[in-house]
Amino acid sequence: MKPVLPGAAIGILGSGQLGRMLAISARQLGYRVHVYSPDANSPAGQIADREMVGEYEDLDQIATFAKSVDAITLEFENIPFAAASAAEKLAPLHPGPEVLHTTQHRLREKTFLRNNDFPVTHFIAIEDHLPTEAHFPAILKTAGFGYDGKGQIKVNSMAELEAAWDKLAKQACVLEAFVPFERELSVVAARGQDGAFVHYGVFVNSHANHILDVTTAPALLPAKTFQEAIAITEGIFEALRVVGTTCVEFFLRHDGSLLVNEIAPRPHNSGHLTIDAARTSQFEQQLRAVCGLPLGDTHFHAPAAMANLLGDLWSEGTPNWSALLKFPEARLHLYGKDDPRPGRKMGHVTALGKSGVHAAEIVKAARHALLTSV
Ligand code: AMP
């Protein structure tokens, strides 16, 4: 395919913070940006040249959108397959509908991983009835449309499993072994249209209430674990033939082995620190891949960390931005959302440091300063 060069229009399906940061990257490189989602005045729409508001089920509107751009990408893997397929007929779309089909459904994703011999948490499929026995503790997760711990319930007995499945309206689910992991890791990487592969190394992620809280880079790991995480990621990218930035989330077990938890075929929250810490951000990387351009250098300027800013920080009123901005190392990113609900990702703060741990101390202190009285 001929590269899509600056000046062309890039279409983004979805218009949240990932689309916003992608749009900022695209604008910086001189592209025009059109976004499509059901929301008006969205985080990405605020940056775009054109914000189209429509349902993903409205294939006529999707077609109008696709005809208005030179290449399409997405920031949200739950774009319905029909919408992605309709868009792809009118403009090149990366990652393609097949990648979405696999990764937007936990059961298909885990089955893909298992069938391709990637290490994955033990799971069983629950379609229309519960098994007569199961191992506990386990986590019941809806097969479709889940992220940030949404649609998942930890269960310790058959009785709890029955109650949990009722609560999830007896929809198709995955029952997954609970993994007593040592740490959660992620690899953010990109694959170009020519099959080129670049990665940002391995990040450590800590979660609070199933939502990412702090990412630290690089993870300090034995060389073997590092190489294995990168090799699994590259293997998954090849097997999926994904084009664009994608993240593979892992559990690192106490015995040093890795299990894949999830694949996110788009820039990832744990990769936000690449904006300030790496030569090429995960968003620019996505753009380069989608446009058929050479992938960028992933070199880090220094160890880095990122802390998410959730809506909870607004519970006592407007956060003390001045207090955060007094930290010389802190870089503040806000997503332009005006409704700070608890658990909602409103922004993040990044810092570079002498080590990942040092950078994490800075972002946590800077975030904490938001709660001091003005
Ligand atoms: P997910 O939406 O599946 O990525 O899950 C969100 C978070 O829930 C993960 O990052 C883990 O912290 C936790 N989690 C999910 N699945 C498991 C599991 N099988 N064992 C232990 N913790 C889990």
Side-chain angles (χ1 to χ4, degrees):
M1 188 193 108
K2 263 189 24 204
V4 176
L5 296 174
I10 303 299
I12 305 175
L13 291 167
S15 62
Q17 65 268 18
L18 301 175
R20 178 186 182 92
M21 290 181 268
L22 180 59
I24 291 172
S25 247
R27 287 282 216 164
Q28 186 184 332
L29 285 184
Y31 287 91
R32 287 175 294 125
V33 178
H34 297 188
V35 302
Y36 185 100
S37 86
D39 303 315
N41 188 28
S42 60
Q46 293 164 11
I47 307 293
D49 297 80
R50 184 169 175 208
E51 178 179 57
M52 264 184 87
V53 179
E55 297 302 323
Y56 295 121
E57 288 71 26
D58 185 343
L59 299 185
D60 291 336
Q61 281 270 70
I62 291 278
T64 306
F65 169 74
K67 280 187 210 148
S68 76
V69 295
D70 301 289
I72 309 178
T73 187
L74 45 99
E75 59 119 47
F76 172 61
E77 66 268 32
N78 289 311
I79 303 292
F81 182 76
S85 305
E88 194 192 29
K89 292 199 179 78
L90 298 163
L93 170 87
H94 297 290
E98 299 305 325
V99 176
L100 298 187
H101 185 69
T102 305
T103 55
Q104 66 190 197
H105 189 270
R106 288 191 210 273
L107 194 50
R108 283 198 290 267
E109 179 174 291
K110 287 180 191 293
T111 307
F112 155 82
L113 289 166
R114 189 161 67 185
N115 289 348
N116 285 279
D117 290 331
F118 295 112
V120 61
T121 318
H122 179 75
F123 69 93
I124 54 174
I126 294 180
E127 302 203 86
D128 51 10
H129 63 275
L130 289 178
T132 46
E133 52 182 323
H135 292 287
F136 297 103
I139 302 191
L140 185 68
K141 300 183 177 181
T142 53
F145 206 85
Y147 60 95
D148 285 350
K150 292 189 172 64
Q152 21 181 301
I153 303 176
K154 188 171 174 196
V155 289
N156 293 298
S157 64
M158 280 309 286
E160 283 185 23
L161 175 58
E162 276 165 33
W165 199 41
D166 276 349
K167 201 166 166 197
L168 297 175
K170 292 194 158 77
Q171 58 183 302
C173 280
V174 177
L175 183 65
E176 200 178 288
F178 180 80
V179 181
F181 53 77
E182 187 205 308
R183 276 189 285 173
E184 290 190 78
L185 306 174
S186 60
V187 176
V188 173
R191 186 172 176 276
Q193 293 177 24
D194 56 359
F197 174 81
V198 294
H199 64 82
Y200 292 95
V202 184
F203 304 155
V204 186
N205 300 317
S206 60
H207 291 76
N209 299 322
H210 298 275
I211 302 176
L212 182 62
D213 185 40
V214 173
T215 297
T216 307
L220 299 177
L221 294 171
K224 184 176 160 290
T225 314
F226 176 91
Q227 281 152 12
E228 197 184 323
I230 302 298
I232 293 169
T233 303
E234 188 166 8
I236 291 173
F237 280 36
E238 276 302 307
L240 279 175
R241 304 242 146 243
V242 69
V243 169
T245 295
T246 286
C247 175
V248 179
E249 296 176 34
F250 293 94
F251 296 133
L252 174 65
R253 288 193 289 188
H254 296 280
D255 65 1
S257 62
L258 291 167
L259 289 175
V260 176
N261 173 36
E262 206 163 49
I263 307 167
R266 48 165 171 81
H268 189 258
N269 195 165
S270 66
H272 291 357
L273 48 70
T274 60
I275 297 175
D276 299 309
R279 280 201 185 129
T280 313
S281 76
Q282 63 165 352
F283 299 101
E284 183 176 328
Q285 211 70 271
Q286 166 89 354
L287 183 72
R288 287 177 180 231
V290 165
C291 291
L293 296 170
L295 298 181
D297 187 4
T298 55
H299 175 83
F300 268 57
H301 309 303
M306 183 257 0
N308 268 336
L309 306 179
L310 300 185
D312 311 59
L313 289 163
W314 275 251
S315 61
E316 304 292 323
T318 306
N320 189 345
W321 301 120
S322 301
L324 180 144
L325 293 169
K326 282 187 188 139
F327 282 72
E329 310 93 337
R331 309 290 312 155
L332 175 64
H333 300 252
L334 291 172
Y335 307 147
K337 298 182 183 176
D338 51 16
D339 182 14
R341 293 187 301 274
R344 190 170 194 215
K345 291 175 182 171
M346 303 296 290
H348 68 267
V349 56
T350 316
L352 306 188
K354 292 198 262 303
S355 66
V357 171
H358 177 225
E361 279 164 9
I362 298 169
V363 291
K364 284 194 240 175
R367 181 174 62 182
H368 190 68
L370 291 174
L371 296 172
T372 52
S373 46
V374 184

